[in-house]
Amino acid sequence: MKAVCWHGTGDVRVERVPDPTILNDGDVILQVTSTAICGSDLHLYNGYIPTMQAGDILGHEFMGIVVEKGPGVRNLEIGDRVAIPFNIACGSCYFCEHELWSLCDNSNPNAGMAEAMYGQSSSGFFGYSHLFGGFAGGQAEYVRVPFADVGALKIPPELRDDQVLFLTDIFPTGYMAAENAEIRPGDVVAVWGCGPVGQFTIRSAFMLGAERVIAIDRVPERLRMAEDGGAEAVNYEHEDDLIQTLKDMTGGRGPDACIDAVGLEAHAGGLPGLYDRVKQATRMETGRPHATRQAIQACRKGGVVSIPGVFGGFVDKFPLGIAFSKGLKLKMGQTHVHRYLRPLLERVQRGDIDPSFVITHRLKLEDAPKAYKIFRDKKDNCIKVVLSP
Amino acid sequence: MQHENRQQQESSGSINVARNERLLSLATGAAMAVGGVAKRGWAGAGLLLVGAPMLLRGITGRSYLYKRLGKNRAVVSDTAAVSVPHGQGIRVEKVTTINRPVSEVYAFWRNFGNLPRFMNNLERVDMIDQRRSHWVAKAPANQTVEWDAEIVNEIENEVIGWRTLNSKLVEHAGSVQFKSAPGGRGTEVRVVMEYAPLGGAAGSLVARLFGTAPEQQVDEDLRRLKQILETGDPITVEGQPSGRAKPEDHPTPSYVRAEEAPKDVVQQASEESFPASDPPAYY
Ligand SMILES: NC(=O)c1ccc[n+]([C@@H]2O[C@H](COP(=O)([O-])OP(=O)(O)OC[C@H]3O[C@@H](n4cnc5c(N)ncnc54)[C@H](O)[C@@H]3O)[C@@H](O)[C@H]2O)c1
Ligand SMILES: [Zn+2]
Ligand SMILES: [Zn+2]
């Protein structure tokens, strides 16, 4: 089959690889019908996530049709059309039973490695380095899906791939980010980053009752899309003092909740930006937490800082004292996608939202190298790419 | 899974790690005792047991191990009792929590025939009677190492302790403790392995048999046990595709040959659809 393989920083190739086979009783094989590139894939593409090996198949946002199933699969049949959460969960450990699916105890075959690094292991993720399981990803013609009974969401025939593909990651991620922000009536929510995750965060914040949403980025078309979602756009490059601007916009209080939908590659100008770049390049810190710092600085007393943006190691100049003295609550982590599949599918069916709004590019799988490049460089107004095998 | 190295330090002081790694790494823990009856080539290797008397003493009631896991906890002080001589033994202690009731976890372990399902270095364990069992471990070059073990300590749903039986070559003792975790969190399983070192070239031979990282191997064995009991089937990625494998070396699966799975939901994309031909339907 054809698959998108990682070969190093800035180097992805579409290659012929063996077809996947059933490896565990609970596996199914999907014929992939649609797959997307995520901002998280850019962290791999840009070389910030360790333990990638040349030849690893990428992709954790995908859906398709069941073409083979293992002897332990009960809920699925050949021919079923399903969407698959990016995180892999067993359904029977303590964490799965408590809906903490991305913290599953039993789905990372390399849990020992993760424990050595983080003390404890999260769940496995598709196509996301050996540290997180070494699972072959779904930017391919076929993909093997473990614990398929637990994760797979059957898709009603009347819905298009485009409308449900993002249930695999970015819609639940935006939704959980907003849920973590503990939004109450009258709340003003500020969102750093208007990439796909930021876009779904903005719309979810309104669904959960936000009065106003302030969207922060510097890419004009992304800010425009945020405005289309009802947000007030702030281009941080045009602001001398973003924290002051946010204060001014909220009657001096600061946003009630601040959400960092940027993650470890946050862009920053001036000295702080240079500081983080140097430290990251020399591996003295592994993330550039510029947006997180700003979110903590801007948040109103007693507010919530929610962090869907990915971090993998150490950061510094983390303003813990500010968070402490303002009594902030910090919430973060990989999305527990399974928790949101059905509720968000219902929202799509009800017409509350058509998640395809975020798609700017539809390409063939073969075009993945070009797609990664324009998505990373924000060329050609690219916001979200869907690939068809 | 928590790593508790504390016990190792207490029992064997400043262990020389390099040396220990040459020693029999007991991976599978339990097992290993490599004891005993070495067959087919191993007998001639002249393995020597060092410190067996102290190990045996430990097993019979005065070791730290026994004290921790058995009934007579108050009798011996933490520092006084060791089961293998200073600088010459390996002790591995690991604990994990399994989301199943104590009785189920205990019953699974008590049937020693189940051990090879999660202890990778074991080929087979046969129960001889209620207390005694015959162990067959995998050795390099398709050989096996065999020995008998007996249960020396057993309290239902609490603890199982075992040791090699009549071993002339190498000694091992193992113990597993089961405790109900608070708040319905399942069962805390605490495994302690002790084993005596081997001297010289023979030692490194046996070390090859059991790998070089006993801590890690016990860790992986316990993880497999947890996965068997919680999910029924330990997860693997071995055999999956990557750009490192050649497609021509792998048979085409039947689902590909059968192909013609429904294609209708595939959105046909083409070069012209770049960028998206239809404007995004903004929410
Ligand atoms: N928690 C999860 O489970 C989960 C799931 C999916 C994605 N993510 C993470 O969410 C983050 C965003 O994903 P995405 O797909 O939207 O990626 P993206 O790269 O498309 O978007 C990031 C956006 O942040 C903007 N940005 C950069 N620096 C900024 C700054 N200092 N202030 C404000 N905006 C800034 C960029 O211009 C870009 O538009 C990534 O870190 C991704 O890994 C997390
Ligand atoms: Zn993603
Ligand atoms: Zn689980």
Side-chain angles (χ1 to χ4, degrees):
Chain A
M1 67 167 181
K2 278 178 298 197
V4 179
C5 298
W6 184 94
H7 279 274
T9 303
D11 184 1
V12 303
R13 304 174 198 167
V14 178
E15 296 183 313
R16 289 224 151 261
V17 302
D19 300 298
T21 50
I22 302 285
L23 300 176
N24 281 104
D25 288 355
D27 290 356
V28 300
I29 306 291
L30 290 194
Q31 181 184 32
V32 177
T33 54
S34 294
T35 175
I37 305 175
C38 177
S40 299
D41 293 325
L42 293 182
H43 301 323
L44 304 174
Y45 189 59
N46 294 335
Y48 289 113
I49 306 287
T51 74
M52 288 296 290
Q53 291 174 16
D56 285 348
I57 301 173
L58 296 171
H60 59 266
E61 300 181 359
F62 58 87
M63 58 183 296
I65 292 158
V66 177
V67 292
E68 185 161 89
K69 62 177 207 168
V73 177
R74 303 267 168 277
N75 306 336
L76 297 170
E77 297 303 333
I78 307 288
D80 280 352
R81 178 170 169 248
V82 292
I84 305 294
F86 76 84
N87 51 320
I88 301 167
C90 77
S92 41
C93 70
Y94 173 87
F95 297 92
C96 288
E97 283 183 357
H98 290 77
E99 299 258 11
L100 298 167
W101 306 91
S102 69
L103 300 174
C104 172
D105 261 348
N106 296 321
S107 59
N108 182 355
N110 299 326
M113 199 197 292
E115 281 174 4
M117 194 149 163
Y118 294 124
Q120 304 195 328
S121 174
S122 64
S123 72
F125 306 122
F126 287 102
Y128 216 70
S129 86
H130 292 262
L131 188 59
F132 299 114
F135 289 96
Q139 289 167 10
E141 290 180 281
Y142 298 96
V143 63
R144 165 226 177 189
V145 177
F147 298 117
D149 274 342
V150 180
L153 175 72
K154 282 189 213 170
I155 302 300
E158 65 275 12
L159 294 173
R160 286 175 289 115
D161 276 24
D162 280 0
Q163 292 174 285
V164 291
L165 176 59
F166 304 134
L167 292 174
T168 61
D169 181 350
I170 53 173
F171 185 13
T173 295
Y175 196 87
M176 186 168 111
E179 208 175 67
N180 277 346
E182 300 178 3
I183 297 165
R184 278 183 274 186
D187 274 1
V188 182
V189 178
V191 179
W192 275 254
C194 298
V197 169
Q199 299 296 337
F200 281 102
T201 305
I202 291 163
R203 284 151 183 84
S204 300
F206 282 121
M207 287 179 194
L208 292 169
E211 179 82 21
R212 295 166 56 202
V213 177
I214 300 170
I216 303 154
D217 205 307
R218 64 168 173 169
V219 182
E221 63 273 14
R222 295 182 176 216
L223 287 169
R224 236 175 289 125
M225 188 184 273
E227 285 177 329
D228 290 336
E232 299 155 50
V234 173
N235 185 326
Y236 64 85
E237 281 204 320
H238 301 164
E239 302 298 325
D240 291 334
D241 185 347
L242 177 65
I243 310 301
Q244 190 56 45
T245 303
L246 291 170
K247 234 176 170 177
D248 290 345
M249 292 174 78
T250 53
R253 302 185 303 278
D256 301 282
C258 290
I259 302 178
D260 171 4
V262 180
L264 63 87
E265 293 186 62
H267 160 262
L271 269 185
L274 185 64
Y275 173 86
D276 285 326
R277 280 196 168 276
V278 169
K279 289 210 99 176
Q280 199 172 42
T282 56
R283 299 283 176 215
M284 290 169 70
E285 76 178 339
T286 44
R288 302 196 301 262
H290 194 63
T292 328
R293 290 185 193 124
Q294 290 186 329
I296 288 171
Q297 286 173 292
C299 196
R300 78 138 161 85
K301 290 186 288 184
V304 183
V305 173
S306 159
I307 311 175
V310 161
F311 287 89
F314 298 91
V315 300
D316 57 34
K317 299 247 180 305
F318 188 78
L320 188 58
I322 297 179
F324 185 87
S325 66
K326 291 200 289 187
L328 301 183
K329 183 189 271 192
L330 272 63
K331 297 191 102 180
M332 63 197 84
Q334 296 283 0
T335 307
H336 306 297
V337 174
H338 300 59
R339 206 199 271 173
Y340 300 96
L341 286 173
R342 278 156 196 90
L344 295 186
L345 176 67
E346 276 168 31
R347 282 192 181 268
V348 174
Q349 285 176 302
R350 278 206 305 267
D352 291 0
I353 184 169
D354 178 353
S356 65
F357 77 88
V358 79
I359 302 172
T360 52
H361 291 70
R362 297 167 217 271
L363 300 172
K364 287 185 174 171
L365 191 70
E366 288 87 331
D367 297 323
K370 176 164 77 182
Y372 269 84
K373 202 163 179 335
I374 58 163
F375 179 45
R376 178 194 62 192
D377 299 340
K378 301 172 179 66
K379 288 281 161 56
D380 198 34
N381 296 328
C382 181
I383 299 178
K384 188 75 180 178
V385 185
V386 174
L387 302 170
S388 306
Chain B
M1 243 171 260
Q2 265 173 288
H3 300 216
E4 301 201 353
N5 298 323
R6 183 171 37 88
Q7 312 307 342
Q8 180 171 350
Q9 282 155 12
E10 279 171 7
S11 63
S12 45
S14 54
I15 288 183
N16 175 328
V17 175
R19 175 175 158 77
N20 277 337
E21 292 193 347
R22 276 195 304 112
L23 300 177
L24 170 160
S25 334
L26 168 70
T28 102
M32 302 322 178
V34 178
V37 198
K39 288 191 178 164
R40 283 192 269 163
W42 286 93
L47 309 182
L48 291 172
L49 170 63
V50 183
M54 294 191 76
L55 178 62
L56 289 176
R57 190 187 68 190
I59 293 162
T60 50
R62 275 172 288 166
S63 81
Y64 184 83
L65 170 70
Y66 188 80
K67 178 168 59 62
R68 268 189 76 82
L69 302 174
K71 293 168 165 173
N72 305 321
R73 290 180 189 213
V75 177
V76 189
S77 85
D78 268 16
T79 46
V82 293
S83 52
V84 270
H86 174 82
Q88 294 179 345
I90 289 177
R91 175 197 289 269
V92 179
E93 176 166 351
K94 292 281 174 191
V95 62
T96 190
T97 300
I98 297 179
N99 191 25
R100 306 298 309 167
V102 169
S103 55
E104 186 182 329
V105 182
Y106 177 87
F108 186 86
W109 195 301
R110 180 61 180 80
N111 177 1
F112 278 26
N114 282 329
L115 300 186
R117 290 179 60 190
F118 62 96
M119 294 181 177
N120 258 4
N121 289 343
L122 287 182
E123 194 170 287
R124 205 174 79 234
V125 178
D126 303 319
M127 295 302 285
I128 300 168
D129 56 33
Q130 265 307 301
R131 306 196 70 76
R132 289 179 306 146
S133 46
H134 180 71
W135 302 50
V136 182
K138 298 169 195 159
N142 285 328
Q143 300 188 92
T144 55
V145 184
E146 307 191 17
W147 66 88
D148 288 346
E150 68 171 344
I151 290 174
V152 292
N153 185 18
E154 183 182 11
I155 304 171
E156 195 178 351
N157 293 334
E158 279 185 38
V159 65
I160 307 168
W162 65 92
R163 63 160 193 178
T164 46
L165 183 66
N166 299 328
S167 162
K168 294 192 198 70
L169 301 171
V170 182
E171 282 290 352
H172 153 71
S175 187
V176 54
Q177 189 185 28
F178 308 87
K179 200 173 124 206
S180 189
R185 283 167 172 76
T187 303
E188 292 174 12
V189 180
R190 184 178 302 273
V191 175
V192 183
M193 303 293 176
E194 295 180 9
Y195 35 101
L198 294 159
S204 66
L205 264 180
V206 176
R208 258 175 48 217
L209 167 58
F210 295 108
T212 52
E215 292 263 334
Q216 198 183 324
Q217 292 199 37
V218 175
D219 210 36
E220 293 299 331
D221 287 347
L222 270 186
R223 203 190 311 284
R224 263 188 299 276
L225 170 69
K226 177 179 164 71
Q227 293 189 13
I228 288 169
L229 289 170
E230 291 186 356
T231 76
D233 187 20
I235 185 93
T236 184
V237 288
E238 239 159 79
Q240 67 173 4
S242 82
R244 296 179 290 279
K246 288 195 172 57
E248 51 273 24
D249 295 342
H250 297 259
T252 305
S254 54
Y255 64 81
V256 176
R257 291 195 300 271
E259 182 72 320
E260 294 348 304
K263 278 262 185 204
D264 43 305
V265 282
V266 179
Q267 270 120 32
Q268 286 305 329
S270 65
E271 272 303 303
E272 305 93 72
S273 64
F274 172 88
S277 44
D278 37 346
Y282 289 143
Y283 170 67

